[in-house]
């Protein structure tokens, strides 16, 4: 019968026991000579390696196991840091051998034998999942820890490495994702709290990414019949445009979020300095995306050489004949060919459709045609703004019928995306989890995105006039915290008591298009059955 304290060693250092085998493990325990401290066990193994002819890596393996045991027995830290910090539940274990991590999972197969090679092992508890993780430290991991521990400014780290600040920020972001670094919570948060015990809305209260949808030019090679703005707006001077990127970067740092610039227009490729703006955003470590038109391969290859966008979105308005009626002859075929080019380049492709009365019945057939060509396909409802006022919205009842068919079809068609907030009504009826709606947080107007027009105007949403400031006159920080922006974030007064409000809020642009007050009236297409008051 083994002694309890020896059982403790066998439990903590189970991988070391397995590596040594039962007989040699017994010899090790016998040689401890009363020194039974688990903390000192790796050091004891180092002393016993030569006398007992133990594997050269065994003390390193035991050190890893002890670090894992210690972290596993510490309580998770509850208070988030005020600035980016090293995870307090992280241990950096120096080792003289590599290929040790696989020994922690004996029997996994395809294990290479350890070989002499100095390095470090990371052992940590992930701040979000709370899982205990073990990994070989890569040079990028060590760089991230050094920058934070030594409080090296981004610019200084970039200069030392002869790289851009964006490269350094990406290193830190990946370390945060791994859980090696602990980032402060986002300050992009909804200003209401869920009911006690209500876990259904917790994912819709705090955004980790903020998007600047930047309409850098009004120039466009198309003239679509539903275009919401054909006005002549001057392009922002280039030095001011670069200052906008700096201001946006500072805003994201202050709000503890990652920034994404979605370049659009018009056609962003027609901006005279588009590629330099794109490169400049990349150099600052901002995420990149494009909303544009079918683009020649030469321009796409130039874009990819800078950095592949996270996605490239184009628009189709239905099947071939109807689409070309809206967007111009030949557009449909050019778009399909462009989607094939995006796939060749490995770029995630998105297709957006503006839903009208005339194309309502073409959406699902188009989704079938796009399978295997596009990665994502969804729709926005027509906002009758600008030239879109000449087209017609569906009737509310036929829209509801369509939406139910769309939601059902999306279960079978992998490219159909859920975007319209009102789909959450159907999810609620089916007692299924809510989804994030239009922007991942229901209506995200002035919450986790804003639209910037060529001349500096910032709007809460580009689909309708919703000005909240001008970035040439005020910082984004000032604009975001303005009363105007808060009003759009809050949305309609009519939605505030609805239990879908965190993931819905309807569509303010549609409310405006129907001649209603987006701050008081609810989306007129909302088909949620309202509770009736009991008879008096």
């Amino acid at each position: 019968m083994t002694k309890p304290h020896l059982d403790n060693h066998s439990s903590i250092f189970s991988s070391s026991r397995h590596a040594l085998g039962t007989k040699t493990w017994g010899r090790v325990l016998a040689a401890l000579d009363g020194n039974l401290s688990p903390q000192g066990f790796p050091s004891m193994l180092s002393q016993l390696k030569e006398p007992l002819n133990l594997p050269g890596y065994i003390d390193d393996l035991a050190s890893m196991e002890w670090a894992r045991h210690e972290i596993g027995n510490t309580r998770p830290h509850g208070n988030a840091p005020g600035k980016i910090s090293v995870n307090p539940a992280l241990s950096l274990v120096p080792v003289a051998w590599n290929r040790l991590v696989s020994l922690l999972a004996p029997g996994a197969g395809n294990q290479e034998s350890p070989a002499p090679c100095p390095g470090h092992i990371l052992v940590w508890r992930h701040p979000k999942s709370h899982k205990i993780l073990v990994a070989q430290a890569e040079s990028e991991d060590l760089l991230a820890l050094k920058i934070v521990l030594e409080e090296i400014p981004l610019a200084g780290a970039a200069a030392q490495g002869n790289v851009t600040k964006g490269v350094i920020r990406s290193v830190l972001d990946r370390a945060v994702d791994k859980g090696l670094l602990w980032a402060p919570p986002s300050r992009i948060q909804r200003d209401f709290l869920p009911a006690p015990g209500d876990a259904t809305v917790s994912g819709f209260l705090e955004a980790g990414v903020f998007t600047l949808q930047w309409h850098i030019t009004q120039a466009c090679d198309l003239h679509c019949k539903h275009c919401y703005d054909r006005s002549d707006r001057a392009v922002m001077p280039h030095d001011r445009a670069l200052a906008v990127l700096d201001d946006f970067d500072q805003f994201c740092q202050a709000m503890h979020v990652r920034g994404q610039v979605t370049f659009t227009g018009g056609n962003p490729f027609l901006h005279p300095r588009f590629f330099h703006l794109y490169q400049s955003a990349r150099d600052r470590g901002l995420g990149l995306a494009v909303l544009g038109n079918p683009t020649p391969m030469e321009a796409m290859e130039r874009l990819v050489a800078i950095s592949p966008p996270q996605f490239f979105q184009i628009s189709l308005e239905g099947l071939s004949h109807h689409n070309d009626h809206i967007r111009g002859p030949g557009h449909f075929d050019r778009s399909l060919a462009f989607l094939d080019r995006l796939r060749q380049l490995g770029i995630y492709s998105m297709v957006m459709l503006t839903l009208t009365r005339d194309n309502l019945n073409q959406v699902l057939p188009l989704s079938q045609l796009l399978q295997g060509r596009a990665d994502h396909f969804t729709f926005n409802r027509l906002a009758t703004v600008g030239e879109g006022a000449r087209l017609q919205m569906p009737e509310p009842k036929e829209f509801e019928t369509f939406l139910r068919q769309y939601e059902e079809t999306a279960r079978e068609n992998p490219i159909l995306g859920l975007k319209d907030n009102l789909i959450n009504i159907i999810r609620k009826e089916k007692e299924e989890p809510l989804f994030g709606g239009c922007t991942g947080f229901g209506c995200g107007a002035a919450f986790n995105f804003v639209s910037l027009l060529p001349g500096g105007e910032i709007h809460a949403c580009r689909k309708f006039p919703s000005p909240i400031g001008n970035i040439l006159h005020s910082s984004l920080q000032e604009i975001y915290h303005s009363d105007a922006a808060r009003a759009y974030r809050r949305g309609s007064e009519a939605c505030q008591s609805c239990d879908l409000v965190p993931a819905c809020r309807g569509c303010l642009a549609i409310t405006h298009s129907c001649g209603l007050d987006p701050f008081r009236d609810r989306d007129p297409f909302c088909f949620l059955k309202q509770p009736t008051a009991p008879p008096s």
Side-chain angles (χ1 to χ4, degrees):
M1 183 173 178
T2 58
K3 298 179 181 179
H5 46 257
L6 298 184
D7 285 341
N8 194 33
H9 280 65
S10 296
S11 173
I12 296 171
F13 304 103
S14 59
S15 296
S16 299
R17 176 170 55 84
H18 184 273
L20 293 175
T22 304
K23 185 175 180 180
T24 302
W25 180 254
R27 291 168 58 209
V28 166
L29 295 183
L32 289 178
D33 194 26
N35 188 352
L36 302 176
S37 164
Q39 184 173 4
F41 185 65
S43 177
M44 290 296 298
L45 282 179
S46 178
Q47 298 175 34
L48 293 173
K49 279 195 296 187
E50 187 173 337
L52 298 184
N53 194 28
L54 304 180
Y57 62 80
I58 195 65
D59 52 333
D60 283 348
L61 179 58
S63 295
M64 291 163 52
E65 293 191 277
W66 175 247
R68 183 174 64 175
H69 172 77
E70 276 199 308
I71 290 174
N73 281 279
T74 58
R75 297 180 63 182
H77 289 70
N79 296 324
K83 62 180 182 178
I84 191 167
S85 309
V86 173
N87 183 347
L90 167 70
S91 180
L92 188 64
V93 183
V95 292
W97 294 69
N98 65 7
R99 304 173 188 160
L100 295 173
V101 175
S102 63
L103 296 182
L104 295 177
N110 298 320
Q111 294 176 341
E112 294 185 89
S113 299
C117 182
H120 291 83
I121 298 294
L122 298 162
V123 185
W124 75 103
R125 184 199 302 275
H126 198 284
K128 293 183 177 178
S129 70
H130 303 302
K131 290 182 178 179
I132 306 298
L133 303 171
V134 183
Q136 183 80 37
E138 305 291 342
S139 57
E140 180 179 283
D141 302 325
L142 298 175
L143 174 61
L145 296 174
K146 175 182 175 67
I147 290 171
V148 173
L149 284 170
E150 298 182 11
E151 299 184 340
I152 302 173
L154 280 182
Q160 289 180 32
N162 195 28
V163 295
T164 65
K165 288 198 300 182
V167 170
I168 300 300
R169 178 163 291 129
S170 295
V171 167
L172 297 178
D173 285 345
R174 287 191 287 271
V176 169
D177 288 340
K178 286 183 179 181
L180 306 178
L181 299 180
W182 201 3
S186 166
R187 290 177 176 164
I188 304 293
Q189 298 185 2
R190 289 295 189 191
D191 57 0
F192 63 88
L193 297 175
D198 184 2
T200 62
V201 302
S202 59
F204 310 127
L205 303 180
E206 178 182 298
V209 177
F210 191 91
T211 298
L212 180 70
Q213 186 186 81
W214 194 354
H215 298 256
I216 57 175
T217 179
Q218 293 290 90
C220 190
D221 47 327
L222 302 176
H223 190 152
C224 304
K225 293 184 183 300
H226 63 335
C227 184
Y228 44 68
D229 188 358
R230 293 292 298 182
S231 62
D232 186 17
R233 296 175 184 265
V235 170
M236 189 181 296
H238 193 59
D239 59 338
R240 294 296 294 134
L242 295 178
V244 165
L245 289 175
D246 288 332
D247 182 73
F248 180 55
D249 186 26
Q250 292 163 14
F251 169 82
C252 292
Q253 291 184 56
M255 301 301 283
H256 301 155
V257 291
R258 296 178 186 178
Q260 175 179 298
V261 182
T262 299
F263 288 99
T264 185
N267 182 348
F269 286 84
L270 298 181
H271 185 284
R273 302 294 298 276
F274 167 61
F275 289 103
H276 188 258
L277 279 178
Y278 189 87
Q279 174 76 63
S280 299
R282 179 58 183 162
D283 289 348
R284 288 159 175 77
L286 300 168
L288 303 167
V290 177
L291 310 183
N293 300 332
T295 302
M297 193 65 163
E298 180 182 359
M300 288 305 303
E301 289 174 344
R302 184 178 175 186
L303 191 77
V304 170
I306 297 171
S307 181
Q310 294 175 15
F311 64 85
F312 194 116
Q313 178 179 297
I314 63 171
S315 295
L316 287 171
E317 307 309 335
L319 299 175
S320 179
H321 177 75
H322 180 75
N323 176 82
D324 288 0
H325 170 68
I326 297 293
R327 291 191 166 264
H331 177 268
F332 189 84
D333 289 339
R334 291 198 306 275
S335 295
L336 294 190
F338 182 63
L339 290 172
D340 291 339
R341 289 199 293 272
L342 291 178
R343 180 148 293 195
Q344 292 168 13
L345 293 168
I347 297 173
Y348 190 88
S349 62
M350 299 176 66
V351 176
M352 180 63 68
L353 175 144
T354 299
L355 191 72
T356 69
R357 184 176 299 179
D358 293 330
N359 65 8
L360 194 71
N361 296 325
Q362 298 183 39
V363 176
L364 298 182
L366 179 59
S367 74
Q368 294 299 318
L369 189 150
L370 290 175
Q371 271 194 268
R373 246 189 177 118
D375 295 302
H376 185 93
F377 171 56
T378 190
F379 69 90
N380 267 324
R381 283 179 277 159
L382 170 72
T384 54
V385 173
E387 297 186 6
R390 300 174 185 175
L391 304 181
Q392 290 184 309
M393 299 177 176
E395 292 293 333
K397 194 60 185 176
E398 64 180 350
F399 172 71
E400 178 185 346
T401 300
F402 159 78
L403 202 62
R404 292 184 183 279
Q405 293 172 342
Y406 183 95
E407 190 271 343
E408 194 64 36
T409 306
R411 298 172 184 270
E412 306 296 331
N413 188 334
I415 73 165
L416 272 182
L418 301 183
K419 180 177 174 64
D420 196 287
N421 293 333
L422 300 186
I423 293 174
N424 271 313
I425 301 173
I426 302 171
R427 307 275 290 203
K428 176 182 171 68
E429 291 172 355
K430 294 182 176 182
E431 297 183 346
E432 294 180 344
L434 304 182
F435 81 107
C438 184
T439 67
F441 301 87
C443 174
F447 175 63
N448 64 325
F449 83 92
V450 293
S451 291
L452 172 60
L453 305 193
E457 285 181 36
I458 289 188
H459 288 245
C461 174
R462 187 64 179 106
K463 288 177 62 180
F464 75 115
S466 50
I468 56 176
N470 191 305
I471 205 162
L472 301 184
H473 306 147
S474 306
S475 69
L476 183 55
Q477 186 79 250
E478 293 169 327
I479 293 170
Y480 186 82
H481 293 292
S482 67
D483 291 340
R486 288 192 185 95
Y488 285 104
R489 278 199 289 280
R490 180 169 174 77
S492 172
E493 200 62 46
C495 292
Q496 298 307 311
S497 61
C498 179
D499 57 3
L500 296 183
V501 67
C504 183
R505 299 165 179 254
C507 179
L508 302 182
I510 298 300
T511 305
H512 169 85
S513 294
C514 292
L516 302 173
D517 184 345
F519 300 121
R520 297 183 57 187
D521 301 314
R522 70 172 182 157
D523 185 332
F525 285 77
C526 176
F527 51 93
L528 180 67
K529 292 180 174 61
Q530 299 296 308
T532 56
S536 56

